[in-house]
Amino acid sequence: MAVKTRIKYFDTLKFLAISGVIFLHCFILKKNIEIFHFNIVNLNQLGRFGVPLFLLISGALLLNREIELKSFFKKRFIRICYPLFFFIIIAYVFNIYRHPLTSFWYCWMVLGAYLAIPIINIFVKYGSDKEIEYFLGMFLITAILYQIFNLFNIEYSLDLNFFITPISYLVLGYYLSTKEFNSSSNQIILISFIIFIVSTILKMMYGNFFDIYPKMNLSSTLDLGILQILQVSSVFLLVKNIYSESVSGLFSVVKGFLETNIINNFIVSVSRASYGMYLVHMLFLRQYIRPFFKTLNFNSTNMVIACFITFVGLFLVSWIITVILGKIPYINKISGYA
C-alpha cells in the first residue's frame, strides 16, 4: 500500500482551524465582562476563522479531482457520519444536549457542503480561471453590498444569497491553494498578517455576519461576511507561504521551527485528530465547562487567564482522548481520528 504523502501546510491549517474553534468556544463562556473597552466575548473573534478554514481546506483538497460518486460519498460520509452518530448517542445517553441530533451544527453543514462538491467540482474542473474568479468576485461583492444595505438601512430586494453559502468557501479554498501571486512569499506573509490583524479588530468592533445582517434569515452560525472572508483568507495564505521554498529571513526561521520533528509530528497528530477533537470538546464544554464558568466571579484580567487556561486544557484533553480512541480497534472508526 502506497504511503499517503502529507502536505505540510494543510496539516498546519487544520491545526490552526481546530485551535480557533476551541479558542472561540472558550471565550464565549462568560459574558458582560469588559476588558480593553470590549466585552471579553469579543476576544473570540481571534479564533472565528476556524470553521471557514476547515471549508477552505476541504475545497483545496477535494475540488478539481476525478470524482466517482459512490466511492466519494462512501468515503466522506463514513468519515463524517460514524463519529457524529457515535457522539450523538453519547450526548443522548448522558443527557448532555437537549436536542443531540441537531447540536453538532458544523458536522451537518459539512455534510451539506459535501453533497454539493460533485456538482461544484465540474464547474471548477472545466471552468476557466476567469469564470472561477467571477464566482468569487460575486461572493465578495455580495458580502459587501449586503453590509452596506444594512449599515445604511437601505431597503432592497436584490437576492444574491446563492453567492454567500458554504460552497463559496470551498471554491475560495481551491482558488487560494492554486493561485500564484506575483509578490514574493515574504511579502504575501506580511500582507496576510496585516489583513488578519485589521479584519480581526474590525470584527471585534462590529461583530459577525449574522450580527451585521440581522434582516437576513440565516439557518446557521457560519460567518460569511466580508471581514470573515478576509480574515480566513489571510490565515490560509500566510500558512501556505510560510512553507514556501522561497521564504527567507525571520519567516524561514519560523518554517524551520515548524518542520522540526517534534513540532511537525505534533501538528500532524492534531491535524489527524481535528474532527474527533471538535466532537469531544463539544461534549466537555456542555457537560462540565459551561456549568463551571457560571460559578466564576473573576475580574476581567483573571477571566481572560481562566479562558486561556481552559482553552489549553480543553485542547490537550480533546487531542489525547481522540488519539487514544483512534488507536483502539473498531473504536478507531468512530473516533474522528483520520
Side-chain angles (χ1 to χ4, degrees):
M1 181 181 294
V3 178
K4 181 180 178 180
T5 301
R6 304 196 69 89
I7 301 175
K8 292 181 178 179
Y9 85 85
F10 283 133
D11 282 323
T12 301
L13 286 171
K14 287 183 180 180
F15 179 97
L16 291 176
I18 190 59
S19 299
V21 170
I22 297 176
F23 181 91
L24 77 88
H25 285 161
C26 289
F27 275 85
I28 59 175
L29 290 170
K30 201 72 173 179
K31 300 180 180 180
N32 303 320
I33 294 180
E34 299 296 323
I35 182 169
F36 308 135
H37 305 293
F38 287 106
N39 192 300
I40 191 175
V41 173
N42 292 76
L43 294 178
N44 82 83
Q45 298 295 347
L46 286 166
R48 277 283 171 181
F49 60 84
V51 169
L53 186 54
F54 275 126
L55 289 171
L56 261 63
I57 296 166
S58 295
L61 291 174
L62 300 177
L63 292 179
N64 197 15
R65 302 286 191 268
E66 293 294 336
I67 293 180
E68 196 280 315
L69 290 178
K70 183 177 180 180
S71 62
F72 174 81
F73 285 123
K74 181 179 179 181
K75 181 178 180 181
R76 298 298 162 187
F77 276 66
I78 286 176
R79 180 175 294 180
I80 295 293
C81 291
Y82 281 13
L84 173 60
F85 293 150
F86 172 65
F87 280 90
I88 286 175
I89 291 171
I90 292 178
Y92 178 79
V93 170
F94 292 96
N95 196 28
I96 297 176
Y97 284 96
R98 182 178 300 178
H99 304 290
L101 192 62
T102 58
S103 297
F104 302 95
W105 76 270
Y106 162 74
C107 306
W108 297 109
M109 182 270 294
V110 169
L111 283 174
Y114 279 2
L115 287 171
I117 281 180
I119 301 170
I120 299 302
N121 184 61
I122 297 173
F123 164 67
V124 171
K125 190 174 179 62
Y126 297 104
S128 66
D129 290 343
K130 288 185 177 180
E131 289 166 339
I132 294 173
E133 288 170 354
Y134 165 77
F135 179 86
L136 293 176
M138 290 304 303
F139 179 30
L140 296 175
I141 290 171
T142 300
I144 294 170
L145 274 180
Y146 281 4
Q147 182 167 347
I148 291 174
F149 290 159
N150 282 276
L151 282 176
F152 294 98
N153 198 28
I154 300 173
E155 295 293 331
Y156 61 91
S157 298
L158 183 62
D159 187 352
L160 297 174
N161 288 9
F162 173 81
F163 294 103
I164 44 175
T165 69
I167 293 172
S168 299
Y169 276 132
L170 295 175
V171 178
L172 179 60
Y174 166 76
Y175 180 78
L176 294 178
S177 69
T178 57
K179 177 67 175 178
E180 295 296 332
F181 296 93
N182 293 327
S183 303
S184 68
S185 293
N186 281 26
Q187 290 174 327
I188 294 174
I189 292 169
L190 184 59
I191 293 170
S192 297
F193 180 74
I194 293 172
I195 291 175
F196 175 80
I197 295 298
V198 172
S199 60
T200 300
I201 291 174
L202 290 174
K203 279 173 65 62
M204 291 174 66
M205 295 171 61
Y206 296 109
N208 301 314
F209 176 84
F210 38 87
D211 297 323
I212 296 173
Y213 307 142
K215 296 179 182 178
M216 297 183 65
N217 182 23
L218 298 173
S219 59
S220 82
T221 55
L222 179 64
D223 189 340
L224 288 141
I226 184 61
L227 295 177
Q228 185 61 81
I229 297 169
L230 292 173
Q231 185 193 48
V232 70
S233 297
S234 66
V235 173
F236 191 100
L237 289 174
L238 191 154
V239 174
K240 176 186 175 183
N241 283 275
I242 278 287
Y243 283 95
S244 171
E245 294 182 359
S246 62
V247 73
S248 61
L250 176 62
F251 301 133
S252 66
V253 176
V254 175
K255 177 186 177 184
F257 172 75
L258 293 174
E259 291 182 330
T260 57
N261 285 335
I262 294 177
I263 300 301
N264 181 65
N265 290 340
F266 180 52
I267 289 173
V268 171
S269 180
V270 171
S271 171
R272 296 181 64 189
S274 58
Y275 182 48
M277 289 173 67
Y278 169 80
L279 295 167
V280 170
H281 100 276
M282 290 292 288
L283 297 186
F284 272 85
L285 271 174
R286 183 77 177 190
Q287 186 72 355
Y288 302 110
I289 297 175
R290 285 183 181 176
F292 173 70
F293 262 74
K294 289 181 180 179
T295 67
L296 297 182
N297 190 26
F298 290 165
N299 60 30
S300 58
T301 301
N302 288 338
M303 187 56 68
V304 170
I305 294 173
C307 289
F308 187 78
I309 292 175
T310 301
F311 157 65
V312 174
L314 186 57
F315 180 95
L316 292 175
V317 168
S318 302
W319 170 60
I320 291 170
I321 290 175
T322 304
V323 171
I324 291 174
L325 293 177
K327 295 184 181 299
I328 301 174
Y330 302 108
I331 296 295
N332 57 0
K333 296 183 183 298
I334 56 177
S335 66
Y337 189 79

